[in-house]
Amino acid sequence: MVLSSTIRTMTPEVPVTAEPTEAGSEHFRRLLDGMARTVGQKGYAAATIADIVAAAAVSRRTFYEHFQTKAECLIALYELASLQGLQVLSAELNPTLPWHEQVERALAAYLGWMAHNPVLMRTLFIEILGLGPEGLAARRRVHAQMADFILSTVNGPRRKAPALSRELSMAVVGGIHELVLERIEAGEEATLARLAPVAADLVRRVMADKP
């Protein structure tokens, strides 16, 4: 299954801890898997709820027990996968290291995780943009979560220079994800991990600090 190695176990050491109770249900996970499969094969616009439930091997009634629209299903997939990405980032934190080393290690793990899930990343990064206001709102929520993660890392107790602002943190996240989107659009998902030094350098330059 597309998500059996991503939503369930994107990395063996990082368990999924999604907030909604239903996110732990088998039908919920199968529907997200069906969405990823269908959109990966046909694109979001051509995908139908019939396609999704067929790929998930559940009934249409089951779909509507969890989602009102296919857009809602795609957003749930996007947010749950993004949560997993944050867990990958968090797992690499080591408070005994300087903040810049923590950021580079975490970004390397995050981008490597993306590189190992190319179909899912293409589905999420490309198709979420086609949802209009709903998709943009979901993207903004995800970016805000990552910006908060960066803030909590670089503005820690060992930080001596002026703190990073939330606005600049959001700009960093947007810049990193724009680089990711560029690679995905070029069909170069396998090279995403190579962006880690560039992404970490961006954070350092914004902080106006050197290791």
Side-chain angles (χ1 to χ4, degrees), residues 22 38 42 49 55 76 94-95 99 116 118 120 124 128 141-142 151 155 165 172 184 187 189 195 204:
E22 67 174 353
T38 302
K42 304 179 65 171
I49 290 175
N94 182 347
W99 70 263
H116 281 90
L120 181 61
L124 300 182
I128 200 71
R141 288 194 297 272
V142 166
L151 285 174
N155 289 346
S165 71
V172 167
I184 290 174
E189 295 91 338
L195 292 174
R204 284 195 293 268

Side-chain angles (χ1 to χ4, degrees), residues 78 107 110-111 114 125 129 139-140 142-148 150 164-183 195 199 202-203 206:
Y78 177 71
L107 287 172
Y110 178 66
L111 292 165
M114 285 185 171
F125 271 79
L129 298 176
R139 187 171 184 262
R140 192 169 294 113
V142 166
H143 281 202
Q145 289 174 336
M146 190 172 177
D148 289 341
I150 291 176
L164 179 68
S165 71
R166 194 168 191 280
E167 290 79 7
L168 281 176
S169 184
M170 283 291 285
V172 167
V173 173
I176 291 172
H177 279 175
E178 190 62 28
L179 290 172
V180 170
L181 180 59
E182 184 178 56
R183 292 288 177 102
L195 292 174
L202 172 59
V203 177
V206 168

Side-chain angles (χ1 to χ4, degrees), residues 5 74 76 80 92 113 117 120 124 180:
S5 60
L74 182 63
L80 186 55
E92 291 299 316
W113 164 76
N117 296 283
L120 181 61
L124 300 182
V180 170

Side-chain angles (χ1 to χ4, degrees), residues 43-206:
Y44 178 76
T48 65
I49 290 175
D51 295 327
I52 296 165
V53 298
V58 300
S59 67
R60 183 181 288 265
R61 177 180 177 181
T62 298
F63 179 92
Y64 286 111
E65 287 173 354
H66 293 281
F67 308 108
Q68 294 183 4
T69 65
K70 68 172 184 174
E72 192 176 301
C73 184
L74 182 63
I75 289 171
L77 172 65
Y78 177 71
E79 293 187 329
L80 186 55
S82 298
L83 172 63
Q84 183 73 68
L86 281 174
Q87 291 175 331
V88 170
L89 282 165
S90 298
E92 291 299 316
L93 292 186
N94 182 347
T96 65
L97 297 175
W99 70 263
H100 52 82
E101 290 186 30
Q102 293 189 64
V103 167
E104 185 155 5
R105 286 163 58 100
L107 287 172
Y110 178 66
L111 292 165
W113 164 76
M114 285 185 171
H116 281 90
N117 296 283
V119 174
L120 181 61
M121 291 306 107
R122 173 168 287 275
T123 296
L124 300 182
F125 271 79
I126 301 296
E127 300 295 350
I128 200 71
L129 298 176
L131 296 186
E134 288 179 288
L136 289 175
R139 187 171 184 262
R140 192 169 294 113
R141 288 194 297 272
V142 166
H143 281 202
Q145 289 174 336
M146 190 172 177
D148 289 341
F149 167 83
I150 291 176
L151 285 174
S152 67
T153 303
V154 303
N155 289 346
R158 301 180 66 181
R159 175 72 181 166
K160 297 179 181 179
L164 179 68
S165 71
R166 194 168 191 280
E167 290 79 7
L168 281 176
S169 184
M170 283 291 285
V172 167
V173 173
I176 291 172
H177 279 175
E178 190 62 28
L179 290 172
V180 170
L181 180 59
E182 184 178 56
R183 292 288 177 102
I184 290 174
E185 287 179 326
E188 298 175 354
E189 295 91 338
T191 69
L192 286 174
R194 298 178 194 171
L195 292 174
V198 176
D201 188 45
L202 172 59
V203 177
R204 284 195 293 268
R205 287 173 183 270
V206 168

